[in-house]
Amino acid sequence: MLTTLFIADVTEARTLSNKPSVTYAYYHAHIKPKKQAPVGQPEGWRCTVCGYFYEGHELPADFVCPLCKHGPEAFEYVPAVTVKKKKGFICKVCGYFEEFDGDELPEDYTCPLCNHGRDDFEPAEM
């Protein structure tokens, strides 16, 4: 395996752009899609051993998990999940979603990903 080591003295440096560079932290905060919450997950009980989900308000006292054969002591209650949709605008060019409560984006608004103006956004709910 060949390894190359570059050694240099910096003689000049200048800023090429004031835009933030796509570092690992910037990617995770602004670009990477967020995990979507489960839509309409019902109320029920989840087996802590294998993950089996029993749908219902009450778990029978004599219930046995059909996958791992553990009893009710291995189950935890999972409340129903309701998802509230967010209102905002989505970029028609790159798909970036900007959560916004108003009727229109500001005149000088530009997409933080693709730099297109507000004319390339349309109202959306997510």
Side-chain angles (χ1 to χ4, degrees):
M1 177 178 190
L2 178 65
T3 303
T4 305
L5 175 64
F6 293 95
I7 301 173
D9 289 326
V10 178
T11 58
E12 183 182 334
R14 58 189 150 131
T15 303
L16 298 176
S17 172
N18 289 328
K19 294 180 184 178
S21 56
V22 182
T23 62
Y24 185 76
Y26 183 88
Y27 170 78
H28 280 277
H30 301 283
I31 299 172
K32 182 178 180 183
K34 307 290 186 251
K35 288 186 178 179
Q36 299 295 319
V39 178
Q41 177 180 323
E43 173 184 41
W45 297 81
R46 179 175 291 117
C47 179
T48 58
V49 177
C50 69
Y52 175 79
F53 188 79
Y54 175 84
E55 191 174 326
H57 180 67
E58 300 223 4
L59 185 67
D62 61 344
F63 187 79
V64 176
C65 179
L67 300 179
C68 66
K69 309 301 183 211
H70 284 82
E73 68 280 350
F75 282 78
E76 64 183 1
Y77 176 72
V78 178
V81 175
T82 56
V83 178
K84 183 179 177 183
K85 291 191 173 190
K86 297 176 186 177
K87 290 186 178 184
F89 293 85
I90 192 162
C91 179
K92 295 184 280 187
V93 177
C94 69
Y96 175 78
F97 179 76
E98 178 69 41
E99 189 174 346
F100 194 76
D101 289 332
D103 293 333
E104 289 185 1
L105 289 170
E107 284 284 333
D108 61 343
Y109 183 82
T110 59
C111 179
L113 297 181
C114 67
N115 295 319
H116 281 82
R118 77 174 197 159
D119 294 338
D120 291 317
F121 280 78
E122 60 186 16
E125 284 187 359
M126 292 186 114

